[in-house]
């Protein structure tokens, strides 16, 4: 477990992340966080050798433009699941690739693992907030991102610690907080409604729906993208688990959503039933 002093780097300290999210800037433009069962890891560029990468050549079958009915998907990260510092695993799988489609014809995508080397993609074609023609965040948008080695460090997270839970309520919930700390978080959430000039919640359920940090637009969707999965026919909390978030600059010098894309968060969830990955974006 890695412990990093607060003064070293902003990304690696949960206390600094707390102030980072809870003030004006709440989306990690330059950080990639990975989540497991009350576990958090941080993925950052490294100059050393690593089994994890950002960008580079896509080696998975099923991800080409031809395979995806004319849609180009981009490989963001690829993680080697044998690394013990990763907070999760996918039974029977060696690699976890993280993809997104930056073509404005699609906002939400999904993909399932046929096996350890091939994928099947799904696209939300009914989203009204998409363009009819191929369009990209920037002129001369790259076909792939430059390959960069990535290191993964486990961070400390205590589900009974108020400050930790306050930052990551939308990921882990509040179930292990003491009743006293749950009441503190309730008061903070009410204060947050006031800061945002939002209407006062009319019920406890609506109030706790507002405790969703680090997600600025609320908890992400919970419907599986795999059309043959029973979880695709319904939407209920808990059937998808958040496994990763990243932002516009996962590595120095690369703005995946273009030069004006700061404030974008990409959210990766895994279906508990079929392990299909669902990806969507939120912005501040």
């Amino acid at each position: 477990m890695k412990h990093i002093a607060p003064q070293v780097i902003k990304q690696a300290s949960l206390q600094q992340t707390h102030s980072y999210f809870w003030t004006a800037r709440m989306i990690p433009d330059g950080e990639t966080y990975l989540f497991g069962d009350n576990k958090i890891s941080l993925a950052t560029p490294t100059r050393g050798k690593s089994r994890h990468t950002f960008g580079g050549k896509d080696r998975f079958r099923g991800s080409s433009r031809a395979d995806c009915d004319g849609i180009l998907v981009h490989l963001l990260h690829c993680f080697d699941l044998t690394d013990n510092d990763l907070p999760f695993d996918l039974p029977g799988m060696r690699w976890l690739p993280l993809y997104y489609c930056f073509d404005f014809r699609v906002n939400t995508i999904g993909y399932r693992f046929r096996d350890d080397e091939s994928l099947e993609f799904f696209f939300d074609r009914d989203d009204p907030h998409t363009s009819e023609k191929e369009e990209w965040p920037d002129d001369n948008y790259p076909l792939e991102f430059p390959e960069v080695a990535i290191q993964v460090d486990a961070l400390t997270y205590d589900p009974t610690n108020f400050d930790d839970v306050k930052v990551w309520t939308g990921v882990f919930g509040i179930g292990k907080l003491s009743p006293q700390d749950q009441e503190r978080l309730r008061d903070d959430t009410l204060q947050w409604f006031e800061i945002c000039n939002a209407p006062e919640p009319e019920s406890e359920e609506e109030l706790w729906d507002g405790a969703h940090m680090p997600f600025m637009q609320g908890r992400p969707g919970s419907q599986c993208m795999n059309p043959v999965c029973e979880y695709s026919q319904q939407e209920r909390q808990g059937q998808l688990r958040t496994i990763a978030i990243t932002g516009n600059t996962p590595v120095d010098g690369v703005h995946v959503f273009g030069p004006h894309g700061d404030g974008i968060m990409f959210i990766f969830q895994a279906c508990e039933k079929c392990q299909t990955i669902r990806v969507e974006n939120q912005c501040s």
Side-chain angles (χ1 to χ4, degrees), residues 183 185-212:
E183 188 62 27
L185 185 57
R186 184 184 186 279
D187 292 343
D188 279 6
T189 303
L190 281 172
Q191 183 181 5
W192 184 241
F193 274 90
E194 295 177 7
I195 291 172
C196 295
N197 293 317
E200 186 173 336
E202 297 181 357
S203 65
E204 286 297 298
E205 180 180 3
E206 185 177 336
L207 184 149
W208 285 115
D209 281 346
H212 49 64

Side-chain angles (χ1 to χ4, degrees), residues 35-90:
F35 306 104
D37 184 13
N38 286 319
K39 297 177 181 178
I40 302 176
S41 294
L42 180 68
T44 55
T46 179
R47 294 181 179 179
K49 292 184 178 181
S50 176
R51 294 170 287 177
H52 315 297
T53 55
F54 169 85
K57 288 288 185 183
D58 188 350
R59 62 179 179 271
F60 294 90
R61 297 192 303 272
S63 60
S64 71
R65 188 189 281 263
D67 292 322
C68 295
D69 195 25
I71 295 292
L72 178 64
V73 296
H74 279 72
L75 178 64
L76 291 169
H77 290 84
C78 188
F79 294 103
D80 182 343
L81 294 174
T82 64
D83 185 346
N84 291 331
D85 280 331
L86 286 171
F88 49 70
D89 63 2
L90 296 174

Side-chain angles (χ1 to χ4, degrees), residues 12 14 20 22 70 79 81 114-115 136 152 154 172 232 234-235:
L14 286 181
Y20 185 50
W22 205 250
F79 294 103
L81 294 174
R114 289 193 176 104
D115 54 45
W136 298 91
V152 172
F172 298 115
S232 70
Q234 55 192 325
E235 184 162 351

Side-chain angles (χ1 to χ4, degrees), residues 49-263:
K49 292 184 178 181
S50 176
R51 294 170 287 177
H52 315 297
T53 55
F54 169 85
K57 288 288 185 183
D58 188 350
R59 62 179 179 271
F60 294 90
R61 297 192 303 272
S63 60
S64 71
R65 188 189 281 263
D67 292 322
C68 295
D69 195 25
I71 295 292
L72 178 64
V73 296
H74 279 72
L75 178 64
L76 291 169
H77 290 84
C78 188
F79 294 103
D80 182 343
L81 294 174
T82 64
D83 185 346
N84 291 331
D85 280 331
L86 286 171
F88 49 70
D89 63 2
L90 296 174
M93 304 301 295
R94 169 67 188 274
W95 303 100
L96 173 63
L98 299 184
Y99 288 91
Y100 190 65
C101 176
F102 296 93
D103 180 347
F104 292 159
R105 288 180 293 174
V106 176
N107 278 334
T108 303
I109 74 169
Y111 51 96
R112 74 174 185 91
F113 302 90
R114 289 193 176 104
D115 54 45
D116 206 28
E117 297 180 346
S118 64
L119 306 164
E120 179 182 9
F121 280 81
F122 312 105
F123 303 98
D124 182 0
R125 304 283 192 171
D126 299 323
D127 189 337
H129 306 293
T130 55
S131 63
E132 295 183 1
K133 63 180 182 179
E134 184 171 329
E135 190 176 354
W136 298 91
D138 198 11
D139 295 336
N140 302 314
Y141 199 80
L143 296 177
E144 63 187 45
F145 298 124
E147 183 170 327
V148 178
I150 296 294
Q151 71 179 30
V152 172
D153 295 306
L155 301 182
T156 56
Y157 174 78
D158 180 356
T160 68
N161 178 276
F162 176 81
D163 288 327
D164 284 3
V165 172
K166 184 175 179 178
V167 178
W168 304 109
T169 302
V171 177
F172 298 115
I174 64 169
K176 295 190 176 183
L177 275 185
S178 68
Q180 294 86 350
D181 279 341
Q182 289 191 26
E183 188 62 27
R184 286 178 63 196
L185 185 57
R186 184 184 186 279
D187 292 343
D188 279 6
T189 303
L190 281 172
Q191 183 181 5
W192 184 241
F193 274 90
E194 295 177 7
I195 291 172
C196 295
N197 293 317
E200 186 173 336
E202 297 181 357
S203 65
E204 286 297 298
E205 180 180 3
E206 185 177 336
L207 184 149
W208 285 115
D209 281 346
H212 49 64
M213 287 297 141
F215 308 118
M216 279 301 293
Q217 293 179 294
R219 290 179 175 85
S222 59
Q223 203 160 350
C224 181
M225 295 287 289
N226 182 353
V228 302
C229 177
E230 65 180 75
Y231 284 177
S232 70
Q233 308 303 319
Q234 55 192 325
E235 184 162 351
R236 63 171 181 244
Q237 190 171 344
Q239 64 188 26
L240 302 185
R241 59 189 171 96
T242 300
I243 60 171
I245 59 174
T246 192
N248 188 41
T249 53
V251 299
D252 291 343
V254 177
H255 297 80
V256 297
F257 218 78
H260 307 294
D262 289 352

